[in-house]
Amino acid sequence: MARRLWTLMWGALALIYFFVPLYGTFDFSLRMQRGMLSLRAYELVLSDPRFWEGLRYSALMALVTILISALLFVPTVYWMHLRLPQARPVLEIATLLPFVVPAVVLVFGLIRTFSRPPLQLTNTPFTTDILIAAGYAVLSMPYMFRAVDVGMRAIDVRTLTEAAQMLGASRWQLLRDVIFPNVRVAVLSGALITFALVMGELVLASFLVRPALGPYMQLMGLTKAYEPAALAILSFALTWLSLGALQLLGRRTLITQMTTR
Amino acid sequence: MAYLELHRLRKTFGDAVAVEDFSLSVAQGEFIAFLGPSGCGKTTTLRMIAGLEQPDAGTILLNGRDITHLPPNKRNVGMVFQSYALFPNMTVAQNIGYGLRVAGKPRAEIEQRVRAMLQLIQMEGFAQRYPHQLSGGQQQRVALARALAVQPQVLLLDEPLSALDAKIRVELRQEIRRIQRETGITAIYVTHDQEEALALSDRVVVMNRGRIEQIGTPPEIYNEPATEFVARFIGHINVLPVEVADAAAGLVRLGAQSLRVEGAPLNGRAVKLGIRPELIKLGALDHHNVLQGRVVSVTYLGAVVRVHVEVEGHSVAVDMFNEHTLNLPRPGEACALSFSPRACRLL
Ligand SMILES: Nc1ncnc2c1ncn2[C@@H]1O[C@H](COP(=O)(O)OP(=O)(O)OP(=O)(O)O)[C@@H](O)[C@H]1O
Ligand SMILES: [Mg+2]
């Protein structure tokens, strides 16, 4: 009984810890007009073309990043499961590097390498976007690798591959018909995390001076009072929407596996 | 004329030799079992036939065509895996039809063939189920139907029943044999269960440490084991070290007692004598070899009672049918053992 009480108390504390600041921000975001609650701050944010520009740009970059990351990791992890299980430790550590090396280091590395010949990418917006997408793909590695790996662990990649081969399927056919459909949910969950990651990313976009959502939010934070609060709430909503979509995919087990690893 | 011809196959993994000097001719429609202890190279040999492993040396001919270096999807060989390996994202019908689908067969033909296959495995009502909605035995039957749907020239089965419980195992192995007879397909069945191998196959290939010990029909393998390994691996056998007393007369000596053996010529060296426990009787019989000993233990095994008798310092097992008229000896008693000279195998 006492134990139960403790559990409840810790649960309540945790709720307070997480939700009181959020509630405070929300409440503050409604008080732009003196003496009344209003959605004025939200109106201002939503009518700011820079906000929409940032949202559009970041969403586009997120999709490109997801594409690069999935195309990179589905075949890589497949091959690791099929032929190179001994490469797992190397890949696990390599994909964790973005946690160890700060994004600032990454962006300076990118700028140093790609702002001079022979590969000068920073001088036009389009080539800079390529650079940013590549950088985001690096940042998404820890999530995408693990998501795909969990998905492939859930099926016996090697035996399924062999079974399809014995039925006459070519490598491409068996990837399309057997492997990919069985890891689709896992790839999607990696994709959603990547999406949330890119939508809030600040360092790469601001150092490479592109109109992403992250730098816009930071700018607002420095210059305005109520709008940043509204923006924070909006971006929370976005993240939660992603997480909700994740849950909707109906593979709770997959997510718990990923988060408890 | 052999349908499937394996010629001197060899496969190594690093320094370890998995299969060596493996030659076998299989006739069309024949059911062959590969039998042997764990790690003896059964799976490796099967995978070489499937094209999932490349042999280091040797050739594989299927219906006169050299398939040694063909990729697995070009061989027209079917395979059933121990873990079923059904595609989880496809229904039973889609699983069975997959081979025909990748071959680009018309839809109507696929549907008709899938129906015929479902009928063959007696699972007509399960077409729209997913693999996770089936029992292990049902999954394996679907896997069998999936492998057969493309009408392969050879069907390979790698311990297809070992993940199932004992009762289903016996049922399903009869089912596999029935389907094999009905379709007339040439089949190779890997198992480490001797009963399965003896009960199912036309011929058994007994393997040990990557080599073939003996190839023969089940009665040949059991009654005329070619090597001591085969004799010991299949069923139970008493092996007694004997000395040759008179080669011309077929006389050997076990300690102070002498025995007559038939069927094999004796040369001067020391030999081992093998006798199956069920061929020995308690009591002294005329025209038989008779050994004197002392009862050590009596064990009920259900249908059979096994008596261990000590003879000249060796333990000899004797099996008797458990009839209720049976007069059982007691441990410690002296007793005589009789067996025909023809029951003796020299190993
Ligand atoms: N991919 C591999 N890499 C290294 N060694 C292998 C590989 N596959 C098999 N071996 C080795 O080859 C030998 C034969 O293995 P195989 O799987 O053919 O045995 P098996 O007769 O099928 O045994 P079991 O009854 O346990 O399935 C074993 O010693 C095994 O360790
Ligand atoms: Mg095996």
Side-chain angles (χ1 to χ4, degrees), chain B residues 307-346:
Chain B
V307 180
H308 281 279
V309 179
E310 195 197 302
V311 179
E312 303 284 335
H314 302 284
S315 173
V316 177
V318 181
D319 282 353
M320 295 178 295
F321 272 120
N322 187 7
E323 297 159 31
H324 56 261
T325 53
L326 197 62
N327 215 345
L328 285 175
R330 259 183 272 268
E333 281 178 6
C335 76
L337 303 178
S338 302
F339 49 91
S340 145
R342 238 172 290 139
C344 304
R345 294 286 311 171
L346 289 173

Side-chain angles (χ1 to χ4, degrees), chain A residues 109-158:
Chain A
L110 287 175
I111 290 173
R112 270 188 69 89
T113 313
F114 294 104
S115 62
R116 64 174 92 161
L119 266 171
Q120 199 161 6
L121 293 179
T122 49
N123 49 353
T124 73
F126 178 71
T127 48
T128 309
D129 289 347
I130 296 179
L131 208 55
I132 291 194
Y136 285 163
V138 170
L139 294 184
S140 78
M141 284 196 323
Y143 310 102
M144 198 51 112
F145 170 76
R146 269 159 197 79
V148 177
D149 186 36
V150 166
M152 296 230 180
R153 271 181 201 209
I155 57 173
D156 184 348
V157 170
R158 200 174 138 189

Side-chain angles (χ1 to χ4, degrees), chain B residues 66-87:
Chain B
D66 186 342
I67 60 166
T68 316
H69 300 294
L70 280 185
N73 56 344
K74 299 275 192 296
R75 289 195 177 197
N76 199 18
V77 168
M79 185 139 173
V80 174
F81 297 82
Q82 181 178 348
S83 57
Y84 323 134
L86 293 179
F87 306 131

Side-chain angles (χ1 to χ4, degrees), chain A residues 158, chain B residues 13-14 16-19 36-45 47 53 82 158-159 190-192 207:
Chain A
R158 200 174 138 189
Chain B
F13 293 105
V17 180
V19 176
S38 188
C40 71
K42 308 180 293 290
T43 298
T44 305
T45 309
R47 289 171 61 84
E53 301 282 2
Q82 181 178 348
D158 192 358
E159 308 206 21
V190 163
T191 179
H192 58 239
M207 297 177 64

Side-chain angles (χ1 to χ4, degrees), chain B residues 114-135:
Chain B
V114 167
R115 252 197 315 275
M117 283 295 125
L118 284 169
Q119 200 174 356
L120 186 69
I121 57 168
Q122 299 172 340
M123 284 181 62
E124 286 98 327
F126 293 82
Q128 298 314 316
R129 296 258 196 118
Y130 281 89
H132 69 91
Q133 297 169 315
L134 301 178
S135 73

